[in-house]
Amino acid sequence: MDGTQEDSDSVLEGQALPKPGPTESEPLLARPASSPSEAALQLPKQLTTRHAFAVLVTLQIGSGIFASPAQVDSNVPSPGAALLVWALGGLLSWAGAASFAELGAALPLNGGMQEYLRHVYGDTAAFIMAWVYILGVKPSSMAIQSIVIAESIGSVTPNYSAVRASGQLKLIAALAFVLMVLLNSINTRFTMRLSESFTVFKLSTVGLIVLGGLLAVTAHLLNPHSSLSGSSDWYSRNWFQTRPTVSDGRTIDWTAMGAWDRYGHYCAAIYGALWAYDGWDNANVVASEIRDPGRALPKAIKAAMMVVLSSFELVNIAYYILVPWERLSSNNAVAVVAATSILGQPAGILITFLVVVSCAGSITSNVFSVGRLTMAASQRHYLPALFTQQGLPGGRAAEDSSASSGYDAPIYANALTLAVTLVYILTGSFRALLTFVGMAEWVFYVSTVVGLLVLRRREPQLERSYRPTIVLPITFIVVGSLVIIRSAIFAPVQSGVLAGLLFAGALISRARTG
């Protein structure tokens, strides 16, 4: 996560936060309701179908669509296969959104996924999730977004290869992240305004890329030799023909690869697509606040997922039209390359600016959410009390958090986020981090949807104003589990780090409870 997504007991990559307060982004901060009915009083039914549709679309269209295509393309044998992976990612996200919406309607608890895990499995599961998100998922997501900023800036420089080889991109990524943390450590109101302003840039960038693809197709139809027709690959080559791709600096020969290895690469590709779609898990928030969810929510989810899936397919088709196919798998700043290839350096600089701003928006949302999550975990004694400190060290937070002059940001929590994320930036690569984030998030996503089936059997008396067919959660669990298992084998380093975090979290939780 954009997408993210930014990032469900996370604020997922790339979306603007509507307002501060107890949301999905700060799962431990709100007081747990003693019952679903009590929690429902805390969440007024104020959203219509149109509102729910807008929320779900905005959450999912984030920075991931500018960064993930290379991860997907490098791990599949053809552009056609890549488009199928994007469709599969959209369908999986659709099934997940429907499942989370049922949980949101049945258990409208402030805290979303983390509170569902607590309700189904107990406090240990909720603690482990907070631990992994604070030290793993959120910092890795922000490291990915910072790396995309650096790659985008580097890709418009004339000596990009030399800059990348020298390690300067790591420095740019680290400096970009430090700047974003400093900006987000002023106060809450400033953070919210900053986040809201980024949404327009994200949507504008997506629209411009699709428009560029349409321009190239139109130019080619009018004049096959036009310089505006993008790469010749899209009209001269078979979209489903196997061709070599580049992954982590090495060329993959698909014709000499066995089925088991292909499966591993496809799992890595699916994680790339799923990270871009991230944001669907906020359907549970929509379910808790929508009027007449049994009727309105299916419409909102169906419409939102169709729009997002179609948008992502169109953007990726545009990439394959604008960028030579052999370059797409090796460049994490594919949006910049696409713009430069058809309209030259000025267009590349414009798209670079838009992508950088979009990723900065995702980082803003993530810094906001993980800071509040860290504070809340500290309030529950999951972390030292130091991390509850707001405002400047030695000073005090503003009495009124809405005051624009008050320094009410979680300074020590942000400092922890800064330190951990810099480690990921300096030691990790874009694709390794993306696989790690995918595995970590989907362990909890699948566990939560398993909890939905447990609740259907254990607590059938719960009022479920929205209940999708059981095929959707079962499909989500089966496919998600297969992807997690194969990815864990395919990427032993990332799975080892995740296993270590899970094990450490379990030990600490056990020590806490005695």
Side-chain angles (χ1 to χ4, degrees):
M1 283 153 222
D2 175 92
T4 141
Q5 305 201 154
E6 212 156 51
D7 124 100
S8 47
D9 304 297
S10 59
V11 177
L12 302 168
E13 49 88 21
Q15 88 290 345
L17 294 171
K19 59 183 179 179
T23 68
E24 199 60 352
S25 64
E26 39 196 314
L28 288 169
L29 196 54
R31 174 180 63 86
S34 60
S35 68
S37 60
E38 178 185 342
L41 296 176
Q42 302 171 8
L43 299 169
K45 303 290 185 180
Q46 56 186 340
L47 301 182
T48 64
T49 303
R50 178 171 54 84
H51 293 141
F53 166 82
V55 168
L56 289 171
V57 169
T58 304
L59 287 174
Q60 290 181 86
I61 297 180
S63 62
I65 191 58
F66 311 129
S68 294
Q71 164 86 356
V72 176
D73 181 76
S74 65
N75 284 289
V76 293
S78 68
L83 295 178
L84 291 177
V85 166
W86 282 100
L88 176 60
L91 294 174
L92 269 179
S93 300
W94 193 329
S99 301
F100 270 56
E102 176 182 336
L103 286 167
L107 298 171
L109 301 170
N110 287 341
M113 180 165 65
Q114 185 171 267
E115 292 304 317
Y116 305 152
L117 292 171
R118 187 191 311 279
H119 184 89
V120 176
Y121 305 111
D123 189 66
T124 297
F127 168 80
I128 292 174
M129 183 200 153
W131 169 266
V132 172
Y133 265 65
I134 291 170
L135 295 181
V137 171
K138 304 304 288 181
S140 294
S141 294
M142 291 183 287
I144 292 170
Q145 291 148 1
S146 300
I147 291 171
V148 173
I149 289 176
E151 293 262 6
S152 299
I153 294 173
S155 64
V156 294
T157 61
N159 56 341
Y160 172 62
S161 299
V163 170
R164 190 174 192 181
S166 68
Q168 293 180 44
L169 293 182
K170 292 278 189 180
L171 179 60
I172 295 173
L175 290 175
F177 183 70
V178 170
L179 176 61
M180 293 309 302
V181 172
L182 291 176
L183 288 175
N184 282 277
S185 296
I186 297 175
N187 63 29
T188 299
R189 171 168 287 191
F190 180 79
T191 297
M192 302 314 300
R193 287 176 175 172
L194 194 65
S195 184
E196 289 170 0
S197 67
F198 288 138
T199 302
V200 175
F201 288 97
K202 292 184 299 182
L203 299 179
S204 299
T205 309
V206 169
L208 286 173
I209 293 169
V210 174
L211 186 62
L214 290 174
L215 174 63
V217 172
T218 303
H220 177 72
L221 293 176
L222 295 175
N223 178 10
H225 304 291
S226 172
S227 61
L228 297 178
S229 59
S231 165
S232 63
D233 291 337
W234 69 272
Y235 58 83
S236 63
R237 299 174 63 178
N238 184 342
W239 283 57
F240 285 91
Q241 183 177 356
T242 299
R243 90 287 192 222
T245 58
V246 177
S247 179
D248 291 327
R250 64 185 182 88
T251 301
I252 300 175
D253 182 3
W254 292 93
T255 59
M257 186 180 297
W260 181 244
D261 288 333
R262 280 180 176 249
Y263 177 33
H265 281 285
Y266 270 102
C267 289
I270 288 172
Y271 275 143
L274 292 175
W275 188 68
Y277 281 105
D278 222 359
W280 57 262
D281 47 310
N282 282 271
N284 50 5
V285 176
V286 173
S288 303
E289 302 185 55
I290 194 171
R291 302 169 192 165
D292 189 12
R295 181 187 62 82
L297 194 56
K299 292 182 179 179
I301 291 176
K302 181 178 180 179
M305 295 309 304
M306 288 179 66
V307 166
V308 174
L309 198 159
S310 300
S311 298
F312 284 6
E313 288 286 329
L314 288 173
V315 169
N316 278 280
I317 290 173
Y319 287 147
Y320 284 111
I321 291 172
L322 298 172
V323 181
W325 291 357
E326 67 272 8
R327 292 185 60 192
L328 201 147
S329 64
S330 59
N331 198 307
N332 295 324
V334 62
V336 177
V337 176
T340 304
S341 67
I342 185 171
L343 296 176
Q345 192 80 351
I349 293 173
L350 172 62
I351 293 295
T352 296
F353 172 76
L354 293 175
V355 170
V356 166
V357 173
S358 298
C359 291
S362 299
I363 293 173
T364 292
S365 297
N366 279 299
V367 170
F368 178 87
S369 65
V370 75
R372 271 64 184 179
L373 175 58
T374 303
M375 283 179 59
S378 179
Q379 290 169 350
R380 284 189 180 268
H381 308 293
Y382 291 176
L383 293 172
L386 170 72
F387 295 111
T388 61
Q389 171 76 40
Q390 288 180 271
L392 296 173
R396 65 185 183 89
E399 296 293 334
D400 179 7
S401 63
S402 66
S404 59
S405 60
Y407 293 96
D408 65 342
I411 297 297
Y412 289 106
N414 284 358
L416 175 65
T417 298
L418 176 63
V420 175
T421 304
L422 285 177
V423 171
Y424 284 113
I425 290 174
L426 297 175
T427 62
S429 68
F430 173 88
R431 301 186 188 197
L433 290 170
L434 193 57
T435 300
F436 171 72
V437 170
M439 279 193 290
E441 286 185 329
W442 275 74
V443 164
F444 293 107
Y445 289 160
V446 170
S447 299
T448 302
V449 177
V450 168
L452 179 150
L453 299 182
V454 171
L455 285 181
R456 282 192 181 186
R457 182 175 182 84
R458 191 177 75 190
E459 302 180 37
Q461 76 283 358
L462 282 177
E463 181 181 349
R464 293 173 171 85
S465 53
Y466 174 63
R467 180 171 174 149
T469 173
I470 198 170
V471 173
L472 291 180
I474 289 178
T475 301
F476 184 88
I477 292 167
V478 171
V479 177
S481 297
L482 291 174
V483 171
I484 291 169
I485 292 169
R486 181 61 185 101
S487 297
I489 299 171
F490 186 73
V493 174
Q494 294 95 315
S495 60
V497 172
L498 177 58
L501 283 173
L502 293 170
F503 182 69
L507 289 180
I508 295 171
S509 178
R510 184 174 180 179
R512 283 179 54 252
T513 57

